């Protein structure tokens, strides 16, 4: 079996950039090509989404949402890969990739709307930079992504050699998801069809209370070997590695190179969701060791080294506050959908049962009014 | 000039699929062994040769993968038609069908449609081994978000498969496999038929027989026998299992006051149960006897040597007709 | 000395599981997050600590894998109890349940038994996100070879989970999750109750209300209101969805002549349809009104903010009671 | 990714035994340990099952069976692995492993009974040397096998170091089956639990009309790498390799080494089933090239070289004829099960619906009698 190689890292926890070697140099080149503005954007997005996460958690505690699903600790994996996708790409998230949605133009209030019980998602991927809906059934989205990627190939919109036009798909899933049959089937179909697709696996070490060691005793990126899919393991708390590797793999995929698999080693700093109690299954030491590898801190250190000013950091902090405040104010005023809306989109064409049940409900509610 | 030709049901579906592939380049066929082999029932015979391997695709052997990737293709604007090789092999795709396919339009609040057809050869009478003679339609009829239909004649099959593919909603298309080789007239000039319409295919006055798929032929045969014994039978071909077009069924019930529903599937919590419950409710005052059901027994489909006992035949349906008449 | 204690339903199941683990070393629990976490609803809390990780196993994240390997363990002589984390996540296991678990004893002509229990928290009223409030029981009730039950009280839950584990046949055990935290008396000295018995839990003379799971509480509440408005209501807790114990239901129908069935699940081709069809058939002469059904609408379970509209409540059941009375 | 190594072969198509090298020697040692009697038994079983296959195909053509599923061409993979299993082992077949059943003590008439529509299998694994029922739903049996193997471990009947007592499981599946989610999930669970289990993949190049290249573009044994399961590819038409490798892998598994995966490269010489028409999808050249690698011919050549006499070969041929004749005579006289038997084993304990429907059927059939 392949000897697991160490996770690719460009930016160490202490904020120092890796020296070029045959493994890192091509990726460092991709990093060099980034403008200061783009780098600052990475930082800004990580800070904003973490602040958003805190605000949303508060809203949940205050009863404004039934559930909150946090992403704290995974900002680098998500922001790096999210920026790596080109405008024409399609992104299929699991349910934790809030920053990726934000990067693509999703109003993150839509996520709150969903977790507040107002929608089941409800955004239109065409309007959100091809950021598709969340999928809550573990792994199911990987097959959708693979079919979508096949569609791109059938349309002749990949493999033309024009990276500015060729499209690719990136699909997000977790370490626990790798055990679902659907994920293996998507690897099978993607390899068989050589789809323009990157499988982005966030190994945050846990599937709720189950450690990744229960899912697999071998590094998960090696799963790719078994299906004939080139793969690499990266430090998922290194936004530069996440960006550079995903950028390259997406371009290889869009250029007709077939699917790729990236395993981003990261950690879920918070609870699985607001309903979860991690103290029941993991110890503080583990949490501490991962906090020491925080993605934002290390990137801030590096940016400072590159000359980022206090003013810049203050600006970003202020912007994060504004966004959080804006989310709060809009969240608490979210309305309730009309009762009959539950019949409106079950089918896209007329359906007698929908019509009959909608009509019944309207009459029934009117009758309640009268009796009231 | 007439455009009526005699075709076996399998060839009628083949012709309907071919027409759909001609009419809309977004239509794709995918499944196991549908390419060079033309499907184990030859329903897709010749289509890969004519339309190429990009539009008629042999997939890896995984039903969840077939439906799941077809969903992605539908998101991309394609109109995939998936073939499931046998009724008993649709279960691996159940999660993708119920929790994804059936719910995605709703989840998107209409921002996308799911024009996806799943073709399933179903039912018994072919003497096959385990998993090859089942009638799983109830699982899908019970699932909101799906449309479920089944033709009983070559003409209906030719037109309904095209209506199903033209629908922007997911359609479960159940093909009565024991009828694949039976010929019937197909009017190619016809203007088609609504996807969700039941039909009175034989009129009578004493008892209404209700059924779908391969059972329809059995009901007509039963009606002949009953007629010869002096009982006048009306027969309704349900054709659409979700939604059910109750109009003709209730009209007939009002007329005869006696209704017998027959289906191959196990009877418990089945489509037959739904029709029986609804007819009993809506035709309460016109019924002169309880609505009776004749179904497969509530056991796994038995070994082929026992299929004739398991499947409702004319005698068993007549027994119910007699009970309805003498109630 | 009395052995009655007040327990919430979740703790009653926990106590029943614990007793089963104590009584038979072949009993194993397996599922996602049932170990250190004790399950997302804490139904297995403390059991891994007491019985060890070999008898209370956190599995990889795959429902088909959980049920499929549990089948192998049952072949080996174990009595696995699988937890499915939420109703909406049972579909990946559907193939193993319908084409394997339900059929294996039959396929072996009795040479082996399948003592396997699948626990499924089901139903709404908890304000959760998509896939977390569904009622999939009809899919399993329609499948021959499975036994399907659901308790509505802590006492029934404590005893029925033990009966289910003691059964040598596969049992789908649906737990009304909205009742998990509600307390009720559990008589630990009781001799248990038959696994497949429905029960008249309130007697009345005008209308029979039939339901199961969390709906039972709603029916009792409805009965109180109706009583106060002068209508006397009898309530039947079905408890066993396959087989259904029709005795008490038909006795009650014969007595009141008016039957209303309520369930959270979509009504079309559901367990409610089956009960309605059978009552309408068997109680044909005693019915003074059609058997009415009050169900979840035939749509995917809506966002939490609309669950109160989607789920049948006292008002909707009363509306049906009025229709039955004034028919 | 691991470089695919050539399939392990001990006996070449021309019947010459491989020279010892670091890959072959340990397996050659296992072969050396075989007595002449055992080697002759391998030959006999391959010949008998092929003759059985021909007889069954004739019975089907003559209408005595609705369907026949042949195993011609795969005799070496099956007979070698079947003999490699120890008495205490459990075998989970797909639906083509007739010789394995025969080796374990199954009356192969039971297979005909099933394909004739008299049963759905119906044999009792306890009575057939732990040869379990066929599973027709592709891949489903791999999870049963993994659960069964876990049961062995929980019973403490593996890993004690006593290969004569320690138990293991071998599960058979095909190249097409590798695409099913259940098979990947069984690899996941087996690796997670380190079950005493060998996954025996017969790659006969086709899944009905679909070539293995559609399932995977990379050698299928590498699938093991992705799940952390040691794996090897063997020449599946070499009964010695099949025996020696399976023997060793089963012993490693039973001794607590965890699961193993064997990919046996072979070929389905006949049609998928009697309903299939291979001329529609594969060409004669391929068939010829594989016929040249026939497992029986090469083994006969080698046995001759070792001194097997014409008398021996004549004996085996005669025995095969007798068995075929016996099968035929018993097959044609197989009865039809009583109608009510369909209610007898749906549940193992009393069930009111079974009682009611059985009673109804009895009365109903009686009434038909009267009217007749
Ligand atoms: C099919 C299915 N089974 C179970 C669940 C319940 N569940 C929700 S999240 C989760 C853990 C997922 O872990 P992982 O894939 O690692 O993603 P993470 O939550 O760590 O980001 C589980 C078991 C589900 N959503 N879908
Ligand atoms: C779930 C499922 N889908 C489809 C089928 C129909 N089918 C029967 S055998 C077969 C091909 C299996 O190929 P492989 O796994 O390579 O085994 P082989 O027949 O070549 O021995 C198919 C598709 C099935 N039995 N089960
Ligand atoms: Mg995780
Ligand atoms: Mg094969």
């Amino acid at each position: 079996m392949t000897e697991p190689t160490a996770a690719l890292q460009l930016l160490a926890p202490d904020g120092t950039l890796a020296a070029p070697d045959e493994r890192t140099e091509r990726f460092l080149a991709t990093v060099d090509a980034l403008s200061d503005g783009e780098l600052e954007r990475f930082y800004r997005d990580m800070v904003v989404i973490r602040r958003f996460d805190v605000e949303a958690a508060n809203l949940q505690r205050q009863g404004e949402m039934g559930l909150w699903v946090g992403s704290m600790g995974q900002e680098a994996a998500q922001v790096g890969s999210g920026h790596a996708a080109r405008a024409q790409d399609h992104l299929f998230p699991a349910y934790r990739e809030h920053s990726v949605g934000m990067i693509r133009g999703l109003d993150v209030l839509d996520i709150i709307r969903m977790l507040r019980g107002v929608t089941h998602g409800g955004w239109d991927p065409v309007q959100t930079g091809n950021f598709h809906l969340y999928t809550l059934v573990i792994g199911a989205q990987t097959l959708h992504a693979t079919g979508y990627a096949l569609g791109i190939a059938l349309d002749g919109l990949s493999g033309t050699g024009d990276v500015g036009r060729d499209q690719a798909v990136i699909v997000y899933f977790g370490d626990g998801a790798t055990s679902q049959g659907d994920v293996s089937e998507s690897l099978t179909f993607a390899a068989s069809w050589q789809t323009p697709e990157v499988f982005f696996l966030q190994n945050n070490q846990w599937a709720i209370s189950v450690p990744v060691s229960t899912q697999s005793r071998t590094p998960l990126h090696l799963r790719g070997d078994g299906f004939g899919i080139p793969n690499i393991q990266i430090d998922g708390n290194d936004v530069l590695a996440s960006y550079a590797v995903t950028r390259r793999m997406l371009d290889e995929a869009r250029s007709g190179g077939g699917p790729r698999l990236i395993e981003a080693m990261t950690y879920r700093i918070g609870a699985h969701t607001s309903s979860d109690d991690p103290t029941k299954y993991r110890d503080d030491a583990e949490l501490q060791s991962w906090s020491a590898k925080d993605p934002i801190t290390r990137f801030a250190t590096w940016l400072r080294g590159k000359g980022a000013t206090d003013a810049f950091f203050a600006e970003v902090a202020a912007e994060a506050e504004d966004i959080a405040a804006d989310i709060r104010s809009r969240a608490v005023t979210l309305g309730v959908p009309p009762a009959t809306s539950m019949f409106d989109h079950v089918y896209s064409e007329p359906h007698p049962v929908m019509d009959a049940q909608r009509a019944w409900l309207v009459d029934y509610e009117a009758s309640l009014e009268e009796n009231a | 000039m007439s455009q009526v030709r005699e075709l076996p049901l399998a060839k009628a579906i083949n012709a309907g699929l071919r027409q759909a592939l001609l009419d809309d380049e977004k239509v794709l066929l995918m499944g196991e062994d549908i390419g060079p082999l033309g499907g184990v029932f030859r329903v897709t015979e010749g289509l890969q040769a004519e339309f190429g391997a990009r539009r008629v695709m042999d997939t890896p052997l995984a039903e969840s993968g077939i439906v799941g990737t077809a969903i992605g293709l539908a998101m991309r604007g394609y109109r995939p038609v998936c073939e499931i090789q046998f009724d008993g092999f649709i279960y691996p795709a159940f999660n993708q069908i119920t929790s994804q396919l059936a719910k995605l339009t709703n989840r998107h609040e209409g921002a996308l449609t799911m024009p996806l057809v799943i073709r399933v050869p179903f039912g018994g009478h072919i003497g096959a081994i385990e998993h090859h003679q089942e009638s799983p339609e109830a699982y899908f009829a019970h699932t909101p978000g799906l449309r479920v239909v089944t033709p009983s004649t070559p003409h209906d099959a030719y037109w309904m498969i095209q209506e199903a593919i033209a629908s922007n909603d997911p359609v479960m298309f159940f093909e009565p496999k024991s009828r694949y080789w039976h010929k019937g007239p197909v009017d190619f000039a016809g203007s088609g038929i609504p996807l969700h319409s039941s039909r009175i295919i034989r009129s009578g006055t004493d008892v209404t027989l209700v059924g779908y798929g391969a059972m329809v032929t059995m009901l007509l045969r039963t009606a002949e026998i009953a007629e010869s014994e002096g009982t006048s039978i009306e027969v309704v071909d349900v054709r659409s299992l979700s939604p059910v077009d109750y109009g003709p069924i209730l009209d007939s019930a009002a007329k005869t006051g006696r209704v017998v529903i027959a289906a191959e599937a196990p009877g418990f919590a089945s489509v037959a149960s739904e029709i029986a419950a609804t007819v009993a409710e809506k035709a309460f005052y016109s019924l002169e006897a309880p609505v009776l059901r004749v179904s497969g027994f509530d056991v796994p489909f038995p070994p082929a040597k026992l299929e004739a006992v398991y499947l409702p035949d004319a005698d068993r349906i007549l027994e119910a007709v007699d009970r309805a008449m003498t109630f």
Side-chain angles (χ1 to χ4, degrees), chain A, chain B:
Chain A
M1 283 188 287
T2 315
E3 268 320 301
T5 47
L8 183 103
Q9 184 186 77
L10 300 180
L11 194 61
D14 67 4
T16 55
L17 199 65
D21 59 34
E22 78 289 325
R23 238 181 126 219
T24 58
E25 61 192 344
R26 57 193 191 135
F27 297 116
L28 286 168
T30 310
V31 170
D32 288 338
L34 287 165
S35 70
D36 286 356
E38 290 171 305
L39 292 169
E40 290 175 352
R41 176 74 196 278
F42 289 5
Y43 177 77
R44 176 250 178 215
D45 289 342
M46 292 196 287
V47 170
V48 165
I49 214 65
R50 183 171 289 189
R51 182 64 184 81
F52 166 72
D53 203 324
V54 170
E55 196 62 36
N58 291 338
L59 285 164
Q60 190 280 330
R61 264 191 300 280
Q62 293 153 9
E64 295 292 339
M65 272 188 288
L67 184 78
W68 179 242
V69 181
S71 58
M72 194 174 297
Q74 303 180 218
E75 294 89 352
Q78 296 177 359
V79 168
S81 59
H83 278 292
R86 295 180 186 265
Q88 69 271 26
D89 293 342
H90 280 259
L91 301 86
F92 288 79
Y95 43 77
R96 223 183 259 293
E97 292 70 30
H98 313 323
S99 60
V100 179
M102 180 179 73
I103 289 165
R104 300 297 293 196
L106 173 74
D107 177 353
V108 290
L109 187 71
D110 284 344
I111 297 166
I112 292 195
R113 216 178 248 116
M114 172 177 165
L115 292 170
R116 186 180 167 98
V118 177
T119 71
H120 282 323
W123 63 82
D124 178 358
V126 175
Q127 308 300 323
T128 60
N130 306 331
F131 182 75
H132 288 256
L133 292 193
Y134 280 167
T135 296
L136 302 180
V137 176
I138 297 297
Q141 75 280 9
T142 58
L143 283 167
H144 307 163
T146 299
Y148 197 96
L150 175 63
I152 289 173
L154 292 175
D155 290 344
L157 289 173
S158 63
T160 73
D162 176 351
V163 293
R165 264 186 74 261
D166 283 337
Q167 302 179 18
V169 164
I170 180 169
V171 58
Y172 292 86
F173 58 107
D175 47 293
T178 60
S179 294
Q180 280 288 359
D182 273 6
V183 173
S184 291
E185 291 188 11
S186 70
L187 295 171
T188 297
F189 279 65
S192 182
W193 288 332
Q194 290 292 293
T195 50
E197 178 178 18
V198 169
F199 290 89
F200 195 91
L201 162 54
Q202 289 175 82
N203 179 349
N204 64 5
Q205 312 306 317
W206 292 91
I208 306 187
S209 71
V210 180
V212 64
S213 56
T214 298
Q215 315 291 343
S216 179
R217 292 160 173 258
T218 195
L220 283 167
H221 67 97
L222 297 180
R223 192 64 53 90
D225 293 354
F227 293 87
I229 296 178
N231 55 84
I232 181 173
Q233 186 185 63
I234 66 171
D235 178 346
N237 285 6
D238 170 359
V239 70
L240 296 178
S242 177
Y243 170 80
V245 172
T246 308
R247 183 78 169 183
R248 185 169 276 271
M249 295 245 162
L250 274 169
D251 284 348
E252 289 172 5
R254 86 179 67 255
S255 305
R260 298 287 187 267
L261 168 62
I262 299 170
E263 179 189 15
M265 303 300 284
T266 181
Y267 195 75
R268 192 194 76 216
I269 294 292
H272 171 71
T273 68
S274 52
S275 311
D276 180 39
D277 174 6
T279 64
K280 286 195 176 291
Y281 54 81
R282 65 186 192 186
D283 60 21
D284 206 51
E286 181 181 279
L287 184 59
Q288 294 319 318
S289 76
W290 278 95
S291 302
K293 303 180 201 154
D294 184 73
I296 299 183
T297 321
R298 82 171 74 171
F299 193 58
T301 310
W302 183 66
L303 282 182
R304 265 187 206 289
K306 280 176 58 73
T309 63
D310 291 348
F312 162 73
F313 291 106
E315 233 169 68
V316 171
E319 185 182 3
E321 287 307 320
D322 296 347
I323 289 170
D326 169 65
I327 285 294
R328 163 170 293 273
S329 63
R330 291 193 293 145
V332 296
T333 57
L334 283 172
V336 174
T340 57
S341 65
M342 73 173 82
F343 302 105
D344 295 349
H345 302 297
V346 179
Y347 302 89
S348 62
E349 291 170 353
H351 192 287
V353 174
M354 297 301 99
D355 298 343
Q357 295 189 352
R358 183 191 292 102
W360 181 89
L361 182 58
V362 170
D363 295 351
Y364 168 73
E365 299 211 307
S367 72
L368 288 186
E369 294 304 307
E370 289 159 23
N371 309 355
Chain B
M1 43 116 216
S2 153
Q3 293 241 23
V4 179
R5 269 194 290 137
E6 286 276 322
L7 280 183
L9 191 136
K11 289 226 177 308
I13 297 171
N14 177 278
L17 290 170
R18 180 170 181 276
Q19 193 56 54
L21 284 158
L22 288 171
D23 292 347
D24 185 345
E25 59 170 15
K26 290 299 188 183
V27 173
L28 299 176
L29 310 191
M30 52 200 293
E32 297 157 4
D33 307 292
I34 69 169
L37 187 62
V40 296
F41 291 108
R42 304 295 184 270
V43 172
T44 57
E45 188 147 55
L47 297 178
Q48 188 181 63
E50 180 173 0
F51 297 96
R54 293 166 60 90
R55 295 190 65 195
V56 180
M57 289 183 280
D58 274 335
T59 64
L61 204 178
E63 289 72 16
S64 188
I66 291 168
V67 174
T69 56
I71 286 170
L73 283 159
M75 289 173 164
R76 180 72 185 184
Y78 285 88
R79 308 183 80 84
V81 181
C82 304
E83 172 173 305
I84 298 297
Q85 201 160 76
F86 282 91
D87 31 58
F89 304 139
I90 195 165
Y91 308 122
F94 201 72
N95 179 49
Q96 283 289 341
I97 295 172
T98 53
S99 72
Q100 302 303 317
L101 180 61
K103 295 187 167 110
L104 274 162
T105 297
N106 188 60
R107 191 176 298 153
H108 283 83
E109 297 184 357
L112 64 69
T113 58
M114 273 289 129
L116 195 157
V117 175
I118 300 180
R119 297 180 37 241
V120 187
F122 84 121
H125 291 294
I126 68 165
I129 53 179
E130 195 179 9
H131 312 293
H132 292 67
Q133 306 217 84
E134 302 184 0
S135 296
E137 64 272 16
Y139 296 124
F140 305 96
H142 180 60
T143 304
L146 301 175
R147 297 174 182 269
V148 184
V149 303
T150 178
S152 66
T153 68
H155 179 82
D156 287 359
Y158 172 75
W159 287 108
M160 286 171 73
I161 188 63
Q162 292 182 70
E163 307 274 356
I165 295 170
S167 169
N168 284 320
D169 294 319
V171 178
M172 302 295 302
F173 192 84
F174 284 95
E175 304 175 358
K177 68 168 91 83
S178 64
R179 305 298 304 166
Y180 271 148
W181 305 277
H182 290 76
K183 286 192 169 190
V186 178
D187 183 349
F188 292 85
S191 60
I193 52 166
L195 186 59
H196 298 299
S197 57
S198 62
R199 198 159 113 258
I200 295 175
I201 54 172
R202 181 186 201 281
S203 68
T205 53
D206 298 334
V207 177
T208 301
L209 292 183
V210 179
Y212 53 87
M215 186 60 67
V216 171
T217 313
M218 189 67 72
L219 297 184
L220 290 171
R221 189 174 314 148
T222 308
E224 295 306 322
I225 303 169
E227 197 79 51
S228 68
E229 293 169 357
T231 311
S232 167
I233 304 280
E234 186 146 293
V235 177
V236 184
D237 180 353
V238 181
R239 287 201 297 204
S240 175
L241 307 185
S242 177
V244 168
D245 174 20
Y246 278 109
I249 300 171
L250 292 174
D251 291 348
S252 185
K255 176 167 140 196
T256 64
R258 295 183 163 83
V259 178
V260 174
I261 304 163
E264 293 186 18
F268 194 87
S270 65
V271 171
S273 313
E274 174 60 36
I275 297 175
T278 300
V279 170
E281 177 184 341
K282 303 280 188 239
F284 189 67
Y285 281 130
S286 16
L287 291 178
E288 283 154 33
V291 178
L292 300 178
R293 288 166 282 163
V294 184
S295 328
F297 296 106
D298 292 304
V299 306
F301 198 99
K305 294 282 184 200
L306 294 182
E307 75 172 21
V309 183
Y310 176 84
L311 294 165
D313 60 4
D315 283 339
R316 268 172 68 191
I317 299 163
L318 283 170
E319 186 270 348
V321 167
D322 293 345
R323 270 191 290 139
M325 289 298 289
T326 57
F327 195 82

